[in-house]
C-alpha cells in the first residue's frame, strides 16, 4: 500500500512508505523519515537519488574505478547485484558513527544513478525498509 512516485527528471519510478516525506528538484529525489522526539522533530534517515550523465556509456565498474579517490572512505565487496535488471554496486562508509551509511551506484541508459542512504538511529529497523524501497525501483525505458 506504499505510494508510487514516477520521476520524469530521473527516468524512474519507485514506491516508498506513506510516512516518509518526498522532495524532488531538477537534480535529485529525496525521501526522508522523521523521528519525533520529546520537543522537536529530527531526521531519522533518508535516501537521495541523483542521476549523473555518462554520455560515453562507460561501464559501471570502469566508471567507479575512475572515482576511486572520491570513494576512498567507503568499502565495497565488489559484488554486482541488480536493480530492475541493471548492474549495481554498494559502498559502505568506513567508521561511520551512524548505524547505516552507504552509496549504491547503478548504470542505466548512459547514466549513472547514485543512491545514498543514511540513518542516524535505528539502522537495523530502517535497513530492510530502505532495501524494500530500492527493490521497487523501475527505470523508464
Amino acid at each position: 500500500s506504499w505510494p508510487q512516485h514516477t520521476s520524469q527528471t530521473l527516468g524512474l519510478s519507485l514506491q516508498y512508505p506513506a510516512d516518509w516525506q518526498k522532495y524532488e528538484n531538477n537534480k535529485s529525489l529525496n525521501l526522508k523519515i522523521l523521528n519525533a522526539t520529546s520537543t522537536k522533530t529530527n531526521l531519522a534517515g533518508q535516501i537521495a537519488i541523483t542521476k549523473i550523465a555518462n554520455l560515453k556509456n562507460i561501464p559501471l565498474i570502469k566508471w567507479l574505478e575512475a572515482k576511486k579517490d572520491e570513494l576512498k572512505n567507503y568499502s565495497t565487496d565488489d559484488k554486482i547485484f541488480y536493480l530492475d535488471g541493471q548492474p549495481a554496486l554498494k559502498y559502505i562508509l568506513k567508521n561511520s558513527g551512524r548505524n547505516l551509511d552507504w552509496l549504491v551506484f547503478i548504470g542505466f541508459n548512459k547514466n549513472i544513478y547514485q543512491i545514498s542512504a543514511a540513518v542516524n538511529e535505528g539502522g537495523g529497523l530502517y535497513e530492510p525498509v530502505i532495501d524494500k524501497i530500492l527493490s521497487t525501483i523501475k527505470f523508464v525505458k
Side-chain angles (χ1 to χ4, degrees):
S1 63
W2 287 3
Q4 181 165 331
H5 175 71
T6 300
S7 169
Q8 298 303 321
T9 302
L10 296 177
L12 60 78
S13 68
L14 56 72
Q15 293 176 293
Y16 60 95
D19 59 342
W20 286 51
Q21 296 179 358
K22 172 184 58 79
Y23 172 76
E24 184 173 8
N25 60 29
N26 62 354
K27 295 180 182 180
S28 65
L29 170 65
N30 293 287
L31 301 171
K32 298 178 181 183
I33 180 68
L34 300 175
N35 188 19
T37 59
S38 58
T39 59
K40 60 183 180 178
T41 301
N42 293 325
L43 178 66
Q46 72 175 0
I47 297 174
I49 304 173
T50 306
K51 182 170 76 171
I52 304 161
N54 180 16
L55 299 177
K56 294 183 180 179
N57 209 21
I58 300 167
L60 180 63
I61 298 290
K62 288 189 181 260
W63 188 89
L64 288 167
E65 285 173 6
K67 303 290 183 190
K68 188 171 28 177
D69 287 344
E70 294 174 40
L71 296 169
K72 67 183 176 191
N73 294 325
Y74 290 82
S75 62
T76 182
D77 59 10
D78 289 323
K79 290 184 181 176
I80 293 177
F81 65 100
Y82 294 87
L83 290 173
D84 193 26
Q86 305 308 311
L89 275 171
K90 182 188 272 189
Y91 287 77
I92 300 169
L93 184 63
K94 300 173 190 173
N95 304 316
S96 173
R98 297 176 172 159
N99 290 333
L100 176 69
D101 200 335
W102 45 260
L103 301 171
V104 171
F105 294 93
I106 308 165
F108 176 71
N109 197 24
K110 294 189 178 182
N111 293 297
I112 302 291
Y113 290 82
Q114 176 181 307
I115 303 171
S116 61
V119 174
N120 292 326
E121 53 190 72
L125 174 68
Y126 290 113
E127 188 168 8
V129 175
I130 289 171
D131 285 341
K132 186 173 179 183
I133 293 168
L134 294 180
S135 75
T136 69
I137 290 175
K138 302 290 181 221
F139 291 97
V140 177
K141 300 182 173 150

